[in-house]
Amino acid sequence: AYNWRSTFQVTPRDVIFPFSTIQQPSTGQLDASVFYNINENWKVGLQGVNLLDDVTRTTQTINEDGLRAARSFFRNDRRFSVILRATF
């Protein structure tokens, strides 16, 4: 699954730098999973999250003309899981 979100406003006013707006530019994340049915009751799978290793960024307005600059960067890293499911 690929999830994408367009640019959005995080907060209309920030308390750190002259009460300016903070936005998150558009970003996407690719996740995948695959499962194998061992039998009627057991299933094993592999799941991967943030496969493209996307970095979430925020920007901040820094002047009255609307100029924006980088504010923060968040790296969530890729995550892989092995999953065992049982149904009774």
Side-chain angles (χ1 to χ4, degrees):
Y2 183 76
N3 295 295
W4 181 80
R5 184 168 183 178
S6 60
T7 300
F8 66 97
Q9 184 171 304
V10 176
T11 181
R13 301 228 179 253
D14 183 45
V15 297
I16 297 172
F17 183 74
F19 305 103
S20 57
T21 62
I22 297 174
Q23 289 186 348
Q24 181 174 319
S26 59
T27 185
Q29 180 172 311
L30 179 66
D31 302 333
S33 62
V34 61
F35 285 89
Y36 175 74
N37 292 327
I38 298 171
N39 60 35
E40 190 175 300
N41 299 96
W42 293 93
K43 185 184 289 190
V44 65
L46 178 64
Q47 181 178 31
V49 177
N50 194 22
L51 297 176
L52 300 176
D53 202 22
D54 186 59
V55 175
T56 301
R57 297 167 170 82
T58 60
T59 61
Q60 184 168 18
T61 305
I62 59 172
N63 67 19
E64 293 178 5
D65 294 328
L67 181 64
R68 305 197 64 75
R71 181 171 191 274
S72 59
F73 301 84
F74 303 96
R75 180 176 294 279
N76 293 322
D77 290 330
R78 293 180 185 111
R79 294 184 308 276
F80 297 95
S81 304
V82 175
I83 301 164
L84 180 64
R85 292 184 181 170
T87 306
F88 297 97

